[in-house]
Amino acid sequence: MLGQASRLAVATFLFCFTGSVLMGFLVYGDSVFDSSQVFFQFVGSGLLGAALVAAARVAGLRAVALVVLIGYPVLLISNGSFTGARLLRDAVGVAGLSGAVLAGMGCNRFFPRRALGKFVIWAAIFGGVHLAMYAILCLANGQPIDSSWAELTARIGALIGGGLGLGFELSALVWEKMKGTSP
C-alpha cells in the first residue's frame, strides 16, 4: 500500500501531466502525440514538468534536483543523438523547466486562499521562460531570432505551464476533498 506522500505525488503527477497534454490537444489536436512534431513538447515537457511538480510538492528541492539528475540523461537517451547542440538544448530545456516549476510553486504561496486561477500565473511564467530559452539557444547557436518561432515557443510554453498549473490546482482540490484538509 502506498503511503500518503506517495499517493499525493502520484495524484499530482497524473493531474499535471494530463493538464499539459489536454491543453496541447485542445489547441493543436492529435499532433501533440507525434514525436516528430514540435507540439510533442506537451507530452515530453508534460512528463518532466509533472515529475518536477510532484517532487517539489512532496519532497522539496532535493527531490527536484534528483528529478533533474535523472530526467536530463533520460531526455538525452530518448533523443538518440548526442551532438553539442542537442546537449545544450536539453540542458537549457531542463534548467528552464525546473526554474519555471519552482517559480510557479513559489507564486502559489502568494495566493494561499485562492482555490483556482493561479494556473494563469503559471502560464505567464512558462511562456516567458520558454521565450527566454528560445532566445538563449538562438544566441548560443549563432542563429537569428525568428519572431514567428519566438511567438510559437512562448505560446507552447504558456499552454504547458497553464496545463501543469491547472493540474496542480485540481489535484490540490481533489486531495483536499478526499482528506478533508489542505495538503
Side-chain angles (χ1 to χ4, degrees):
M1 184 181 231
L2 293 173
Q4 184 170 331
S6 297
R7 288 192 301 266
L8 177 59
V10 169
T12 301
F13 174 85
L14 291 174
F15 272 88
C16 289
F17 176 65
T18 302
S20 176
V21 173
L22 185 59
M23 285 286 208
F25 184 77
L26 290 173
V27 176
Y28 298 108
D30 61 0
S31 62
V32 300
F33 301 112
D34 182 351
S35 64
S36 68
Q37 296 283 324
V38 69
F39 307 114
F40 189 70
Q41 291 179 62
F42 289 97
V43 174
S45 292
L47 280 170
L48 183 57
L52 289 164
V53 172
R57 181 177 195 187
V58 173
L61 286 176
R62 286 187 182 172
V64 169
L66 181 61
V67 170
V68 168
L69 290 173
I70 294 169
Y72 180 63
V74 168
L75 187 61
L76 292 173
I77 292 168
S78 70
N79 286 329
S81 174
F82 298 102
T83 64
R86 289 206 182 209
L87 292 170
L88 176 63
R89 180 198 70 191
D90 292 347
V92 169
V94 170
L97 193 59
S98 302
V101 164
L102 292 174
M105 297 290 287
C107 282
N108 280 353
R109 292 187 184 109
F110 287 117
F111 305 102
R113 298 194 193 280
R114 182 138 190 101
L116 198 59
K118 295 176 277 196
F119 70 93
V120 175
I121 297 170
W122 283 57
I125 290 168
F126 275 74
V129 167
H130 273 71
L131 184 58
M133 290 187 306
Y134 173 72
I136 289 167
L137 290 173
C138 284
L139 294 172
N141 292 317
Q143 301 290 325
I145 295 176
D146 180 310
S147 61
S148 63
W149 276 103
E151 181 183 329
L152 177 63
T153 301
R155 184 180 318 124
I156 289 172
L159 289 168
I160 290 169
L164 290 172
L166 183 60
F168 178 79
E169 290 183 53
L170 292 175
S171 72
L173 289 172
V174 168
W175 189 260
E176 190 175 314
K177 292 292 182 193
M178 287 176 43
K179 294 297 172 192
T181 61
S182 184

